[in-house]
Amino acid sequence: MDGMDHDASPPAVELPVFAQYCSRRLRRIYKGVKFLHGRGRYQKKKHEPDAVKDVRQLHIPLMQAERAWAYAMDLKSQLEQKVVTQKRQHLIRRLSKAATHAAELVALTSQRCDTRTQVEAEAYSLWMAGSVLLEKESDWEGALARFLKSRRLFEELGEVGSFEQQGVCKHFLDQVDPTVRYCQYQISRKGGAAPSPEELLESIGGSGTDQLQSKLASMAAAAQAQAAAATSSLSWAGETLPVRDESVRIPLHAAQELQAELDAAMDTDGGEVEARVSLHDRQINVYAEARAAIKSVLALGQGGADSEQLRGELMALDRAVQGLMLQQSMQRNLFLVEDAEARFARAQRRQLSGQRQRGERERPAKAEDVVRLYDALLAIVSELNELAVHVGGAAGEALLDDCAAKQAHYQAARALYVAHSLLAAGKFGEAAALFGRATERCQQAASKYEECSSPDQQAGVQLEALVAAAAAWGAVAAAELRAGGLREAAAAQEGLEGMSLQGPGAAAGRKRARPDAYLAEELDAWESFVGPAKGQARLCRLPPALRTVPFRPIFLDTALNYIQAPDLTHRLPAKQQQPAAQGTFSRLFGGWR
């Protein structure tokens, strides 16, 4: 038939369904790009890179590889039922043909296509070459090296690109992973350990891997810049602002991507709190980078006719980014408040029911923790309120009304949890007053939400729940306060009854320490001190009872009589040392001087 090539002619045996589809697709491509192999007699044409003018010409080696692979997989399914040597050899030949066409695709894409297409073709060719070695069962290390390199490239490709491209990469990864494990198992059966991935990659050309990694890095940067180019404007508070500088577009686009991830995480039930908070923090940091980029552009601004207009646009863009950052911070803290309130409610239910927590241990939240989170929310609302003043116009007024409503809302919730902390501390009067204040704040917040241009329905539901909780716990605080007053009144009445003058037998208070005690000896006792007969009061003891009094001790120095004084005559003057003439009387009474 005219225009039909040899490869696309109907085979002698029936091809599998996918191989038939590839043959029909090849026939359409041949006719579409006029890549025909002659009339009647087959004349094979080669794919030269310089002759590639249409993207469909790249599909020719791809479809040829897919057709050969589909035929090989059909033969493999037949060998599973019955082993035939000829079919096994045919299987290996068809896989080798597929690997050859895949290598031809790599040669074409390396000169005519962009970086991503080159890397995709390289990964596909490595997978085909590894499949050939896997079926030959002769070089397990070589097959493992090619599968590892192919897996690495598919993993890198899966991190960049569209959703459909990521799905294709995941499909190939699902096929590569089992073959990697099978090759490692076959190597271990030989009695040796599998070489490290670095050694295997070096065996098939490590330098090529480094070159591909550089291509992947440039491809990721180009994809990010291309995606950021789509972020040409930013909308906030009913105003759309142009984003002209590239350094500002990149972080804003990253913030949009993080917002998509955050929305997907919020749609799923459950999830780790830390993971969601991390997404919020990353988005806040990206907005901070965008503000830093805007300030850098403002600092580098040049004079000119349009300089004032550009400066005004940048300042308005900075306010918009700041507003988005504050709103994101508010969403982050609201999520933490929701989690803390849930943990606080669960802790209260366990405490009231008397049940202990089983299974995984959860850190209970205290009322003070929730109060701190609401303090942070009120600070954010205050900053947003100041920003709304600079916005001005109808958008600024709407933002001011929304901030006023949120401020009253968060103040009501804060009063509720401050009252909970006072209730736990036993200050029932203050707690009851704050529960009442929380109810008043809820009513104010509800009226302020009604004044907003777009009322928040979810906030209305939350306020109704706050009013119900404040009323219930206010009743508990009032009941505890009333019970405490009754206990104090009963204690006072009991003390007054103990002061009766009817004698100790009529008193219901405590007994005296000694029955014969006097009033002056036990002044802290709540009972009368009457004597055994009526009218004989035991006020004080007359005369007072004797008691021992400590006194200064007397010391007697009895050792002084036994101490002999030293002779000090040698220290006297010379006159006194010479003996004077003694008379008869002096000799008789010499000891008297």
Side-chain angles (χ1 to χ4, degrees), residues 310-383:
L310 294 176
R311 184 177 180 83
E313 288 182 359
L314 288 173
M315 293 182 67
L317 183 62
D318 181 64
R319 287 195 297 268
V321 175
Q322 183 183 2
L324 289 172
M325 185 170 64
L326 289 174
Q327 289 177 349
Q328 190 62 34
S329 301
M330 188 182 299
Q331 293 295 327
R332 173 188 181 276
N333 285 347
L334 283 174
F335 176 70
L336 290 176
V337 163
E338 182 181 356
D339 177 69
E341 287 179 344
R343 288 188 287 114
F344 178 76
R346 288 193 292 269
Q348 279 189 326
R349 287 195 295 268
R350 288 193 299 269
Q351 184 178 2
L352 293 175
S353 62
Q355 296 178 356
R356 294 184 179 180
Q357 187 177 2
R358 299 179 181 178
E360 185 178 356
R361 190 174 184 84
E362 180 187 48
R363 184 179 67 86
K366 298 180 180 179
E368 292 81 358
D369 300 334
V370 187
V371 171
R372 283 193 291 270
L373 290 173
Y374 275 112
D375 287 338
L377 279 172
L378 288 172
I380 294 172
V381 171
S382 178
E383 292 184 18

Side-chain angles (χ1 to χ4, degrees), residues 10 151 183 243 263 288 330 363 379 401 406 421 554-555 558 580:
R151 183 175 68 178
C183 292
V243 183
D263 294 339
M330 188 182 299
R363 184 179 67 86
D401 294 340
K406 290 184 182 299
S421 63
I554 300 175
F555 295 95
T558 58

Side-chain angles (χ1 to χ4, degrees), residues 13 22 31 38 44 161 173 183 186 191 222 290 309 408 421 443 448 470 506-507 550:
V13 295
C22 293
K31 290 183 178 180
K44 185 176 181 180
L173 285 174
C183 292
Q186 292 294 340
Q309 181 181 359
S421 63
Q443 295 173 356
K448 290 182 181 296

Side-chain angles (χ1 to χ4, degrees), residues 467-579:
V467 170
W473 287 104
V476 172
E480 291 289 346
L481 181 62
R482 178 61 178 166
L486 292 176
R487 286 193 296 269
E488 293 177 359
Q493 183 67 27
E494 184 179 0
L496 291 174
E497 291 177 355
M499 295 179 65
S500 175
L501 297 176
Q502 300 299 324
R510 71 172 182 86
K511 298 297 182 181
R512 286 177 292 177
R514 292 182 292 113
D516 57 345
Y518 287 84
L519 177 62
E521 297 174 356
E522 294 189 6
L523 293 176
D524 58 340
W526 287 77
E527 58 185 4
S528 61
F529 289 81
V530 296
K534 185 176 181 181
Q536 296 180 1
R538 302 173 65 86
L539 300 180
C540 61
R541 196 182 294 272
L542 292 175
L546 297 177
R547 61 187 181 90
T548 58
V549 178
F551 192 76
R552 182 178 180 181
I554 300 175
F555 295 95
L556 300 176
D557 195 354
T558 58
L560 186 62
N561 298 330
Y562 298 93
I563 298 176
Q564 183 178 2
D567 186 11
L568 300 177
T569 56
H570 62 280
R571 294 188 179 183
L572 293 175
K575 295 179 181 180
Q576 297 181 7
Q577 292 182 1
Q578 295 178 1

Side-chain angles (χ1 to χ4, degrees), residues 454-478:
S454 56
D456 193 347
Q457 302 296 332
Q458 185 178 2
V461 175
Q462 294 174 354
L463 288 174
E464 292 178 359
L466 281 176
V467 170
W473 287 104
V476 172

